[in-house]
Amino acid sequence: MFSFGMGLMLLNQTHLAISFGISTIIGPLVSLLLLVPLGNLVDRYPHKAILIVSDLSRLSSLLLFAWALPLFAGIGKLIPVVIFSILDYIWTDFSSTTYSAAVHELVNDRKIQKLSSLTSTASSISAIFSPLLGVILYSLVGFEAFIMIEIFSSLVSFLIMLTMNFHYASKTTKKRSSQTGQLQMFKAGINYIRHRPLIKGVIMIAVLVNFVFTSLTVEIPFVINDRLHLGNLPISVLESADSAGILLGSLIMSWQLTKNYFRQLLLVPLILDGVIMMLLGGVFMLFRSAASVSLAGAFVMFLLGVVVVIPNIVMQVELQKSVPTEFLGRVTTILITINSLIMPLGTLFYTGLFQKIQAN
């Protein structure tokens, strides 16, 4: 909701199309710069200590942002927004990677799938409601209130994190890693991935799926608005339906499924993803009114949301269960960085494709 409000504020102040696209540029660049040190630091130091530092640093960045933003006007608003976005991505990358690496210290193996599913459920709920709440709140109180809400919610999150118990493994691994240089630790992580076919397979699948699904980010607004001239309402309906599908799929995956179904839960949904994306293309070819595209498209996007979240959770759970805690930080960082870099490349590729080929 905060990101949505910041995009609206920038659009009103600067009238630049990039107002909602700053994160797609800054995020991957920050991930690339942090590729070596982030995973090493997460695997080297106690996870709760890293979370305390990153959360307090983000709170400080928010307070500075709230102070600096009114000092700029018009296109000058880009200066504090870009600086804050860089800092925000740094601290958020530290927090998200640390939480991923700390799963074994927070729950036992039997609860990892449930934790991943419930986390995905929470994200889906926020994805469904945040755009609507963002528009309403922005029209009522302006962007300054968003910053105050973000500071308050970050503070609450920080206090909750302080109450969590991290059950650390033996200290021998941490002691051994603290005597190793940054580059050596990173190379050790790369070598670990090279000798694990499962992790290499997960990375390749994630890269391919993210690249293909970037087409939806470009396709849905472009085809509905520019080709079919149906306005923005069907776009929001399809996005909400996708989030609702992810919510249902996450709830289904909160049931404990045995390891015997790993291949089926990975391969069958991936095949269905391709079939459902072809159905979406069929919707855009067959229907021409806003109501029919909204109804048929929402049904297809709901199915896609249900199906796409299943292999995502399955891969997360398998990585958490099979990768030792002392390597999880580096493995997670490499996986996130590769996928964050592939998405802007996919956006550029599909943007060129949709612009040049009439039969979108």
Side-chain angles (χ1 to χ4, degrees), residues 72-84:
F72 297 83
I75 201 166
K77 294 275 188 186
L78 279 170
I79 297 170
V81 167
V82 168
I83 293 172
F84 168 74

Side-chain angles (χ1 to χ4, degrees), residues 34-65:
L34 292 177
L35 178 59
V36 175
L38 176 55
N40 292 346
L41 289 169
V42 169
D43 287 338
R44 177 175 285 183
Y45 296 105
H47 293 140
K48 192 166 187 177
I50 296 172
L51 289 170
I52 289 171
V53 172
S54 61
D55 284 3
L56 287 177
S57 300
R58 187 171 185 274
L59 272 168
S60 302
S61 301
L62 277 165
L63 290 169
L64 285 170
F65 182 54

